[in-house]
Amino acid sequence: STLIVEEKEIPSDFMHLAIQESYLAASGPITDCSDLVRHSVDKCIGAGGKVCLVDVSTRHIKYWELSQKAENSGCVAIILNATYNNGRPIACGSHSYDELGVPFICISNNTTNYFQKDAIGKTAAIEVNILGQACHNNSNQGTICSENVPCASKNEFCPFDRKVVNGDYEDGWCDRCPIDGNGNPVPLSCYFDFSEGYARDSKYVIDCVKSCDAQIKFGSCKFCPDGLNAIDFDVAHGDEKCHFCPNYDVRYPDRLFPLFGDNITCWQMQAFYESVDIDKNSQNCALAQKMNYICGCEGLGYAGASTESKQALLVWLPRAMAILSMFGSSFIVFDALRTKRKRGKLLNQMLSTLSFFDILGSIAYAFTTLPTPDSDYLYGSKGNKKTCLAQGFFIQIGTIACFLNVSISMYYLLTIKYGWKHEKLNRKRAWFFFPPIVIGIVF
């Protein structure tokens, strides 16, 4: 295949296992037809006589259906803009002996990861030549399985990778449940192909999970439960399907996402949720969308802050309030202790002590997300585990101010209602300070 945009050749791949004339060529302005895949529309409006660019986020799309929709829309050629994981395309694949009437190619160079942003409206010329005769291996590799004929062994599942009917795999050869070199189960391999870096097909995932009891275990993820093996795969209607990034706005595709393991990237998560029908009301959908801000997706996971400006507001509002609190408490300390006579009063001593601990807590609050580990991908986070613990310690110290408020309330109760004099109160001085400080530090 050859792709030339504005007289510049762009590296591309042809699509395997397609039936076409020995030579196909077309040219025209590039138009965005990604909704053919993303929102399952039947036609790309205004695509007549143009080269249709389809930006996808999953490998497992029905190429025969896409090519049929594009040709019905009047597209003279189809460019599939793939997503990437460690330099590997995870959306380029093979047709199922589909008959093509227009050139169909896939962009395969990871420098074109954001090809769509720069290419719309430019003129593209595409040529596709048949490389050779495709062969389909029907040799007996084991027991044939399907949705109605499950694998007999408890250590096997059906990968649905053999017979293709109307663009969908109908059956396959029974395969062993995924294990590592030591024979230990590898549940994540039911969900992701780590050798190629893409998400598995829906039928593959469902049968592998059910047959191999592929329960997902989590490590240090803050929001993750101990296991998720009851995934709600089937959805009754398309609007009930869970979308990891509903707006397809994965800004940081190569970031590691902690929900499904240690080596899963954001693009793999996006591909998984687009490939597999998971109920939008399920626990794993809620967890994924709660954390999708890690990948730069807009949503409600970041305490409801759906945009970066709102996330910044969540940082600076408490910071401003904490700074005002520091100034207020500092003034109280200055005013309560500025003369010897004032320093001798028990009430002023409690007020200045309360304000001192409030200043410590306010300083910790003023840092907001700055001491948070940068691996949490919160807005403004620059810290590590130690700085996070230090901030938490001083915030906890700041709570002593709340308990000292109780002491001040007791002071007013004893002086106003019970008529205690200053001499008697001074003899009980330690009880106004010791309990709130100990409780604030310990609890």
Side-chain angles (χ1 to χ4, degrees):
S1 65
T2 303
L3 169 62
I4 298 176
V5 179
E6 300 288 337
E7 300 183 352
K8 178 182 178 182
E9 185 170 351
I10 304 294
S12 63
D13 276 346
F14 56 86
M15 304 298 290
H16 297 268
L17 303 182
I19 300 174
Q20 68 164 66
E21 297 178 10
S22 59
Y23 175 77
L24 287 175
S27 64
I30 299 175
T31 187
D32 184 9
C33 290
S34 301
D35 284 348
L36 292 175
V37 172
R38 290 179 175 176
H39 301 298
S40 299
V41 298
D42 293 326
K43 280 192 175 183
C44 181
I45 305 301
K50 298 180 181 179
V51 174
C52 294
L53 177 67
V54 181
D55 194 74
V56 295
S57 56
T58 172
R59 174 170 182 153
H60 301 289
I61 62 176
K62 298 175 181 178
Y63 296 108
W64 63 272
E65 185 179 48
L66 172 59
S67 58
Q68 186 179 63
K69 288 181 177 180
E71 290 184 38
N72 290 340
S73 301
C75 299
V76 297
I78 305 168
I79 302 176
L80 200 66
N81 187 26
T83 54
Y84 290 81
N85 181 56
N86 295 327
R88 299 190 185 98
I90 64 171
C92 293
S94 298
H95 282 274
S96 303
Y97 303 101
D98 311 321
E99 294 188 13
L100 299 180
V102 299
F104 194 133
I105 64 171
C106 178
I107 301 173
S108 60
N109 183 354
N110 64 2
T111 60
T112 60
N113 226 1
Y114 300 103
F115 179 78
Q116 182 183 21
K117 296 180 179 179
D118 301 322
I120 301 300
K122 295 182 178 179
T123 300
I126 300 171
E127 296 180 351
V128 178
N129 288 284
I130 289 182
L131 179 64
Q133 181 67 33
C135 298
H136 187 58
N137 184 4
N138 285 318
S139 61
N140 185 14
Q141 301 179 24
T143 305
I144 294 178
C145 55
S146 67
E147 291 183 273
N148 298 321
V149 183
C151 297
S153 173
K154 65 177 182 179
N155 296 320
E156 292 183 336
F157 71 100
C158 190
F160 293 94
D161 57 359
R162 189 185 76 97
K163 186 178 179 182
V164 179
V165 177
N166 293 329
D168 275 336
Y169 285 106
E170 186 177 77
D171 58 27
W173 305 103
C174 287
D175 198 0
R176 290 186 61 187
C177 291
I179 56 175
D180 60 18
N182 298 321
N184 299 315
V186 185
L188 275 178
S189 290
C190 283
Y191 300 84
F192 304 97
D193 185 335
F194 292 100
S195 63
E196 296 292 335
Y198 59 83
R200 302 286 192 185
D201 181 72
S202 179
K203 287 184 178 180
Y204 185 111
V205 173
I206 293 173
D207 204 78
C208 185
V209 168
K210 291 180 178 179
S211 302
C212 304
D213 190 25
Q215 183 175 0
I216 304 172
K217 298 289 185 180
F218 301 103
S220 59
C221 173
K222 292 180 179 180
F223 307 106
C224 303
D226 293 332
L228 284 176
N229 60 343
I231 295 181
D232 300 323
F233 285 112
D234 298 321
V235 295
H237 307 286
D239 57 356
E240 295 180 0
K241 176 181 171 66
C242 176
H243 296 281
F244 175 67
C245 280
N247 297 326
Y248 303 92
D249 52 344
V250 183
R251 294 173 57 193
Y252 309 109
D254 296 324
R255 277 186 180 175
L256 295 180
F257 194 83
L259 181 59
F260 276 10
D262 295 330
N263 298 307
I264 306 300
T265 65
C266 289
W267 269 127
Q268 286 175 310
M269 288 295 297
Q270 174 74 353
F272 172 75
Y273 276 91
E274 292 305 309
S275 300
V276 183
D277 289 336
I278 297 178
D279 194 293
K280 68 178 182 180
N281 297 315
S282 63
Q283 183 186 22
N284 35 63
C285 179
L287 281 170
Q289 291 184 341
K290 185 177 183 179
M291 301 167 62
N292 66 7
Y293 69 87
I294 292 175
C295 303
C297 306
E298 290 191 2
L300 301 178
Y302 196 105
S306 58
T307 63
E308 190 171 302
S309 59
K310 291 180 180 179
Q311 294 172 13
L313 194 64
L314 283 180
V315 170
W316 283 99
L317 273 181
R319 181 170 291 167
M321 297 302 104
I323 292 172
L324 289 175
S325 178
M326 287 165 51
F327 281 118
S329 295
S330 299
F331 176 78
I332 292 174
V333 172
F334 170 77
D335 186 65
L337 303 180
R338 61 178 175 170
T339 65
K340 184 176 181 180
R341 180 172 172 272
K342 284 191 171 186
R343 289 194 293 270
K345 290 184 177 182
L346 176 60
L347 179 59
N348 286 347
Q349 292 170 5
M350 286 191 291
L351 282 172
S352 58
T353 306
L354 180 153
S355 298
F356 169 74
F357 285 111
D358 182 70
I359 290 171
L360 292 180
S362 296
I363 292 173
Y365 270 116
F367 282 104
T368 57
T369 58
L370 190 61
T372 306
D374 52 10
S375 58
D376 287 348
Y377 299 113
L378 297 178
Y379 183 91
S381 58
K382 302 287 184 182
N384 51 47
K385 187 175 182 180
K386 291 181 179 179
T387 57
C388 186
L389 289 173
Q391 182 188 37
F393 172 77
F394 284 105
I395 288 176
Q396 179 64 30
I397 289 295
T399 63
I400 294 175
C402 302
F403 298 110
L404 281 166
N405 261 317
V406 178
S407 294
I408 293 175
S409 299
M410 287 298 299
Y411 172 89
Y412 283 116
L413 176 68
L414 294 173
T415 55
I416 297 173
K417 184 173 182 178
Y418 294 103
W420 282 33
K421 303 299 181 182
H422 295 300
E423 293 77 10
K424 188 175 182 180
L425 288 167
N426 285 332
R427 288 197 298 269
K428 306 294 184 181
R429 182 194 306 270
W431 293 102
F432 289 98
F433 293 93
F434 185 72
I437 293 175
V438 171
I439 292 172
I441 292 176
V442 174
F443 298 100

